[in-house]
Amino acid sequence: MTIEAITGRYLTVTIGGTPRRIYFEEAGQGRPVLCLHTAGADTRQWRHLMNDAGVTANHRLIAFDMPWHGKSLPPEGFETQEYLLTTEAYIETVLAVIDGLGLDRPILAGCSMGGRIALQLAALQAHKFSGFIAIEASDFQPAWYDIDWFHRPDAHGGEMGAALVSANISPYAPKAERWNTLWMFMQSGPGVFRGDLSFYTRDDSLIGRLSRIDTGKTPVHLLVGAYDLTCTPEDAARTAQAIPGATLAVMEELGHFPMSEHPEGFRPYFVAALEKMDPAQAAAA
Amino acid sequence: MIDIFQNIQRMLETSPHLQRLGRLFSETVLIEVDGQEFYLTFDKGRIESVVTGPSRKTPWRFALRTDGDALTKFWQSRPEPGFHDIFGLVKIGRGRIDGDILTLVKNLRFFKEVLALARTQEEQPA
């Protein structure tokens, strides 16, 4: 029998003028690290690192399900709303969780759309954080697919979404974790993946903001998997080059969901990224 | 090349979970390799026939056009980046998908896993 160290609770905050009940998990103690999941998924993507005693010995890892995702409910009246995530709502949500949990300048670690918003926050709200780990994150890529495929009455959006994103998983990923990663997409609520992709593939506002990021105050480290077709190493490199002082590591055997698809392969990159979150070390690097 | 598609056809016969995934899929798919046409006709999740072209009379629902070297790499147990998925082939300019893409997307897991049946069996499909 195993009982994991992860604990889960609920937090109610006001976002967009309405209360939102947000599910969050945490493990460990020490410097807080707020972890953001990808589009169409949830907090479970971070469970391996949250169960990693070597990481949680001196870091408090916190992950939360975005509203509409995982165990966080959509807002009241959702049944008549079209879910379309925006940069503004995403930023408001992250900041509301930080304030609600009373986190003091956490490191922000986000993957995919979570990495995108981490870079937005690095540009717009850096004083609230002590460093940024932007995983599979880039300035912008338009969709190479039609996001409307993933929300239609005649097909299962979750199954189609999972089949699509499987293109972004490395063949080195252990089979069980590949399928655990895809399961989250299969479980995603109707229209949620589409609404996330709307933010990810249509909002290019980050491009003009990258040069504002001051890595002397808050380090920025990017991580990208070679098997990521959505945010390719070229996309991440272009983005890192536009941020003075940002660093980048390419993970040769990983894809778009590294912490989830291949926890063992990702661990050393994440540990190295945490070490870079010390501004003194980042400056010396 | 036709041997490989016929092998996929045989392997699908012994893959009940794939037949279940494809039970609503009865379409003809064109796979074009170095300009050579292969028509795979599916019936309720099984491959009824593999026929070589050229043919102007065979209607198909969607097509994957690629080259033999790319498919050889795709069928490695651990393909290089880009060669690991049909959309990867498209992304790196080694493949093109034409026709009714929505039908492909609705059956994407099934189709990708069927195509990956020819992958060297070390790890996993698609």
Side-chain angles (χ1 to χ4, degrees):
Chain A
M1 191 193 79
T2 308
I3 296 179
E4 298 181 10
I6 300 172
T7 56
R9 298 178 71 186
Y10 292 87
L11 162 79
T12 298
V13 292
T14 300
I15 300 166
T18 58
R20 306 292 176 94
R21 183 172 186 256
I22 290 184
Y23 177 70
F24 69 99
E25 293 183 343
E26 65 174 292
Q29 45 199 321
R31 194 172 175 190
V33 183
L34 186 63
C35 304
L36 306 177
H37 59 74
T38 71
D42 57 64
T43 288
R44 284 173 290 180
Q45 289 180 323
W46 291 98
R47 73 190 187 284
H48 302 284
L49 283 166
M50 297 178 99
N51 277 323
D52 188 323
V55 172
T56 56
N58 47 14
H59 292 92
R60 178 186 171 201
L61 265 57
I62 305 133
F64 70 93
D65 292 343
M66 285 285 288
W68 300 79
H69 297 69
K71 296 208 273 190
S72 294
L73 289 170
E76 188 178 330
F78 79 90
E79 66 276 13
T80 59
Q81 294 177 18
E82 180 184 17
Y83 170 65
L84 292 171
L85 183 63
T86 64
T87 297
E88 295 69 30
Y90 202 168
I91 286 177
E92 189 184 357
T93 304
V94 175
L95 295 181
V97 169
I98 289 173
D99 289 344
L101 295 178
L103 302 179
D104 180 23
R105 295 187 70 225
I107 295 166
L108 188 61
C111 186
S112 186
M113 74 168 191
R116 172 79 57 76
I117 209 67
L119 294 177
Q120 287 275 15
L121 285 159
L124 300 173
Q125 298 281 342
H127 62 286
K128 296 262 189 185
F129 301 90
S130 61
F132 298 91
I133 302 174
I135 305 157
E136 315 307 324
S138 64
D139 48 6
F140 178 67
Q141 302 100 229
W144 49 275
Y145 41 80
D146 181 349
I147 69 168
D148 290 336
W149 286 342
F150 305 106
H151 186 37
R152 39 186 308 125
D154 62 340
H156 191 287
E159 289 194 274
M160 290 190 292
L164 181 85
V165 302
S166 72
N168 287 318
I169 295 181
S170 161
Y172 289 87
K175 189 174 179 180
E177 297 311 338
R178 162 188 296 270
W179 285 103
N180 281 335
T181 299
L182 294 174
W183 181 248
M184 286 176 239
F185 288 85
M186 294 174 181
Q187 284 192 304
S188 180
V192 174
F193 187 40
R194 172 183 177 272
D196 289 340
L197 292 175
S198 172
F199 155 76
Y200 189 69
T201 65
R202 291 175 178 167
D203 182 337
D204 63 0
S205 62
L206 178 60
I207 296 172
R209 294 173 181 160
L210 289 173
S211 60
R212 295 191 204 172
I213 297 174
D214 184 352
T215 57
K217 287 183 182 159
T218 44
V220 173
H221 185 57
L222 288 86
L223 294 168
V224 66
Y227 283 91
D228 189 344
L229 296 176
T230 296
C231 171
T232 64
E234 293 73 28
D235 293 322
R238 178 186 68 242
T239 306
Q241 280 162 12
I243 306 170
T247 51
L248 167 70
V250 178
M251 306 178 287
E252 297 296 340
E253 296 184 356
L254 303 180
H256 191 71
F257 314 97
M259 65 289 186
S260 178
E261 70 180 56
H262 196 341
E264 212 175 295
F266 181 59
R267 184 186 193 279
Y269 292 101
F270 191 73
V271 169
L274 288 174
E275 286 167 4
K276 284 180 180 289
M277 293 299 103
D278 175 352
Q281 274 200 29
Chain B
M1 187 58 70
I2 187 145
D3 298 355
I4 298 176
F5 293 122
Q6 287 169 339
N7 192 32
I8 286 174
Q9 181 183 25
R10 278 191 294 274
M11 291 175 81
L12 184 52
E13 287 298 313
T14 57
S15 305
H17 78 282
L18 286 183
Q19 290 182 29
R20 184 170 51 82
L21 279 178
R23 66 196 179 281
L24 299 180
F25 189 69
S26 299
E27 303 285 357
T28 295
V29 178
L30 166 61
I31 300 182
E32 194 180 293
V33 187
D34 296 317
Q36 196 181 354
E37 297 174 356
F38 300 91
Y39 294 89
L40 277 59
T41 298
F42 290 80
D43 181 44
K44 298 187 183 72
R46 299 170 63 236
I47 297 177
E48 197 175 62
S49 65
V50 180
V51 177
T52 53
S55 169
R56 293 189 176 179
K57 291 186 276 185
T58 310
W60 45 268
R61 181 60 67 180
F62 57 84
L64 169 65
R65 303 178 201 274
T66 183
D67 63 84
D69 178 57
L71 274 184
T72 301
K73 289 179 173 168
F74 174 86
W75 282 320
Q76 299 296 305
S77 64
R78 282 180 173 158
E80 300 165 37
F83 294 96
H84 64 290
D85 189 274
I86 55 171
F87 287 121
L89 297 178
V90 174
K91 178 100 184 181
I92 63 173
R94 296 291 290 273
R96 212 177 94 184
I97 295 169
D98 292 323
D100 182 357
I101 297 178
L102 183 58
T103 295
L104 167 63
V105 171
K106 285 181 181 176
N107 296 279
L108 188 55
R109 179 179 166 193
F110 170 72
F111 182 72
K112 289 206 299 189
E113 292 190 23
V114 167
L115 204 60
L117 282 172
R119 190 163 276 169
T120 317
Q121 292 302 307
E122 188 190 306
E123 264 277 355
Q124 59 231 251

